[in-house]
Amino acid sequence: MSVPANTAASGGDPVEILGAGDMSRALTRIGHEILERNHGAEHLVLLGIPTRGVPLARRLAAGLARVEPGLDAGALVGDLDVTMYRDDLAHQPTRSVGATALPAGGLDGKVVVLVDDVLFSGRTIRAALDAISDLGRPRAVQLAVLVDRGHRQLPIRADFVGKNLPTSAGERVRVLLSETDGRDAVLLEGARR
Amino acid sequence: MKHLLSAGDLDRAQAVTILDTAAAMAATQERQIKKLPTLRGRTVVNLFFEDSTRTRISFETAAKRLSADVINFSAKGSSVSKGESLKDTAQTLQAMGADAVVIRHHASGAPHRLAHAGWTAGAVVNAGDGTHQHPTQALLDAYTLRRHLVGLRGGTDPVGHDLAGLHVAIVGDVLHSRVARSNVQLLHTLGARVTLVAPPTLVPVGVESWTADVSYHLDDVLDQGPDAVMMLRVQRERMGGGGFFPSPWEYTRGYGLDARRLARLPEHAIVMHPGPMNRGLEISADAADADRSVVVEQVANGVAVRMAVLYLVLAGQEQPTVDGQIGASA
């Protein structure tokens, strides 16, 4: 989930960092890296973090199914809502609670790959790790993100990154996906004041 | 949402948000680890001036499942029996740092007074006041109705839906029932049609202004094929000298739900009761234990709905401060 540092909508038009083709290639590459690292898709579970991690996890799973014959994409993908595990609930307007849906096999003994759109402070991922520990005991947890924009506040790093994007804290990274926003793109906003 | 005082304060979108949040909370209660860290460090005070078992336990369970600290305060055995006023009690709780106060009071309007008098900065949740309101009961009833009668019917929670098109009969002691008042308002807001069924002596004055039809004949209403029948408890403790109906036997004959009346309901219709039930008076054992009776499920849903309400009043606000006091800032 992208957690923007709230800037006023200051000057500078949004700059397109990734287009639809770039995004598709990045996801294909991440899919291959996941398979390579884990020696196939056995025991693999992809958990998307709402909002935009969910369609990204679905796309990654569909990509894995194209590469690995006999793999059921629907059976290895799930959603992980982390709202109730966040540490900033008291400092934000009330967030609506989303749904968590796990694959039928649960998480015990699996390799969980968390999927999110933007990695920023790392706090969403910390919340996700807490949520996972209440749901089961995976053998390992890995992290796949479309954009790593830096500015980590916790010792967390991604295993699979679509695009490393050095940003200033005042900038805002927006990921658009055709499922939620009508088109695929990664935009950098408020680039220059 | 700062407080929850009356079902009438909620608009359709707010009510649907609470039901959707309750659905998310209910999903977490099917796990092995039911506790969530969401309200860690927050304090919820259950301030009960009137006897209650299920509502207090339900709120206590809900708060604990969200990791809040819970302080139970009942008027019996407290300084209230020494004559302490609501104001002094509230200020004491404020000094102890209560983030939310769940209040049940025998006087209608006490939660409103507590919320707006400036005695406490915490959120106030009405857990039943006099014969006025019991909004969380109405919400859990609406949640139960939605699960059973909307969408896939009993399968998954139909997130985002209201109760448009449903017909609900609320039967019995409407006069003394805060549950009926809250339900009439909330179910109307959510698009359902409500018919109140009661003997003329147990229909409140001014019922014409309510958003519900009124009937004195249970059998006629059952023949209309309602989607749900909600039986109300005959509140004998509020009836003083009596005189509302000639005898319990006659009340049961006119307004009790028994096997014969159960058989007249449509196939899909459910039977509800807010509890505690007077078996043999307003509901027979056959009806209370029938497959279509959802009374036990209502209790389970109550925890999920109260978790949702506590989450929505507590999770999104800054630490409360009262003007002129040193607030418990983060």
Side-chain angles (χ1 to χ4, degrees):
Chain A
M1 196 179 281
S2 58
V3 185
N6 278 326
T7 53
S10 54
D13 288 331
V15 181
E16 185 169 296
I17 304 296
L18 295 181
D22 303 319
M23 193 185 288
S24 160
R25 282 187 287 276
L27 288 174
T28 305
R29 175 174 53 75
I30 291 175
H32 283 283
E33 286 175 0
I34 291 173
L35 289 175
E36 193 180 346
R37 164 88 76 95
N38 296 296
H39 310 291
E42 212 190 347
H43 305 307
L44 214 55
V45 171
L46 302 182
L47 290 183
I49 300 175
T51 314
R52 289 185 178 74
V54 171
L56 284 176
R58 301 246 186 294
R59 287 192 200 183
L60 276 174
L64 297 189
R66 277 196 294 274
V67 181
E68 292 280 299
L71 190 67
D72 178 7
L76 85 164
V77 70
D79 312 335
L80 181 70
D81 185 73
V82 305
T83 310
M84 288 185 278
Y85 294 85
R86 301 195 74 95
D87 59 6
D88 58 355
L89 287 169
H91 312 291
Q92 301 267 343
T94 309
R95 291 170 180 266
S96 60
V97 180
T100 290
L102 299 184
L107 302 182
D108 288 341
K110 300 292 174 66
V111 174
V112 171
V113 181
L114 288 169
V115 182
D116 204 358
D117 55 351
V118 179
L119 181 58
F120 185 25
S121 66
R123 288 178 188 268
T124 301
I125 305 305
R126 184 212 58 81
L129 292 173
D130 280 359
I132 285 175
S133 70
D134 277 3
L135 290 166
R137 187 181 183 281
R139 197 174 72 208
V141 181
Q142 299 166 0
L143 174 60
V145 296
L146 186 60
V147 176
D148 181 350
R149 61 166 296 189
H151 303 284
R152 212 77 73 240
Q153 295 167 1
L154 295 169
I156 282 172
R157 63 160 175 78
D159 300 87
F160 312 104
V161 180
K163 169 89 177 164
N164 278 301
L165 183 63
T167 57
S168 78
E171 287 164 337
R172 186 186 148 95
V173 177
R174 278 186 65 198
V175 173
L176 306 179
L177 296 177
S178 54
E179 292 92 332
T180 49
D181 313 286
R183 70 179 176 115
D184 283 353
V186 175
L187 305 179
L188 185 64
E189 293 178 340
R192 189 148 302 179
R193 297 174 66 89
Chain B
M1 196 164 74
K2 169 76 174 135
H3 307 292
L4 178 64
L5 302 176
S6 162
D9 296 341
L10 299 170
D11 61 26
R12 182 191 167 281
Q14 287 173 316
V16 170
T17 299
I18 296 174
L19 300 188
D20 290 350
T21 307
M25 297 295 178
T28 67
Q29 297 308 296
E30 288 159 14
R31 300 177 187 168
Q32 207 167 3
I33 298 174
K34 298 181 175 63
K35 206 174 172 85
L36 298 158
T38 315
L39 297 180
R40 203 170 46 190
R42 299 306 193 89
T43 302
V44 175
V45 175
N46 283 328
L47 186 57
F48 277 61
F49 291 92
E50 201 182 74
D51 289 338
S52 159
T53 315
R54 67 190 65 213
T55 303
R56 185 181 61 72
I57 291 177
S58 185
F59 268 108
E60 183 172 352
T61 307
K64 285 182 171 169
R65 293 277 161 85
L66 291 170
S67 299
D69 295 320
V70 181
I71 299 171
N72 284 314
F73 179 104
S74 69
K76 239 174 237 163
S78 73
S79 294
V80 172
S81 53
K82 300 174 194 163
E84 187 175 65
S85 69
L86 178 61
K87 178 177 180 176
D88 292 331
T89 307
Q91 286 175 337
T92 305
L93 297 174
Q94 171 62 26
M96 291 178 185
D99 296 298
V101 180
V102 175
I103 178 172
R104 165 164 293 194
H105 203 283
H106 42 76
S108 302
H112 187 273
R113 184 86 177 121
L114 185 63
H116 296 293
W119 302 330
T120 169
V124 176
V125 177
N126 185 354
D129 59 331
T131 58
H132 177 226
Q133 281 282 335
H134 194 350
T136 56
Q137 177 71 41
L139 285 162
L140 79 88
D141 289 337
Y143 179 80
T144 308
L145 286 164
R146 196 175 78 157
R147 279 204 70 153
H148 280 272
L149 300 172
V150 178
L152 291 174
R153 303 202 159 180
T156 49
D157 287 298
V159 168
H161 283 72
D162 59 14
L163 303 176
L166 294 185
H167 180 205
V168 180
I170 300 180
V171 185
D173 185 359
V174 176
L175 177 64
H176 299 106
S177 177
R178 52 198 176 207
V179 175
R181 269 172 190 71
S182 289
N183 261 306
V184 165
Q185 291 175 341
L186 184 71
L187 298 183
H188 175 73
T189 303
L190 288 168
R193 183 161 73 91
V194 178
T195 304
L196 297 168
V197 187
T201 48
L202 290 175
V203 172
V205 174
V207 77
E208 314 81 57
S209 64
W210 292 22
T211 51
D213 304 328
V214 180
S215 168
Y216 302 141
H217 306 288
L218 179 55
D219 289 317
D220 292 356
V221 174
L222 294 183
D223 287 341
Q224 294 171 20
D227 299 294
V229 179
M230 189 183 297
M231 305 305 298
L232 299 174
R233 184 170 64 88
V234 175
Q235 303 196 30
R236 281 180 287 198
E237 77 277 14
R238 294 190 208 272
M239 289 189 181
F244 289 95
F245 45 83
S247 71
W249 179 78
E250 193 155 333
Y251 179 88
T252 306
R253 201 179 56 168
Y255 299 95
L257 188 67
D258 54 18
R260 182 179 59 83
R261 286 189 168 126
L262 203 62
R264 298 171 75 145
L265 285 170
E267 190 88 6
H268 68 273
I270 59 171
V271 173
M272 306 170 78
H273 193 297
M277 292 187 280
N278 292 315
R279 283 176 185 249
L281 183 55
E282 72 265 3
I283 189 165
S284 76
D286 300 336
D289 301 330
D291 286 344
R292 61 175 70 197
S293 160
V294 296
V295 176
V296 177
E297 193 196 313
Q298 283 175 273
V299 178
N301 292 342
V303 174
V305 163
R306 288 172 178 124
M307 286 173 76
V309 168
L310 289 174
Y311 171 78
L312 291 170
V313 299
L314 279 178
Q317 67 182 21
E318 294 290 341
Q319 298 279 0
T321 52
V322 167
D323 294 338
Q325 288 191 21
I326 298 163
S329 60

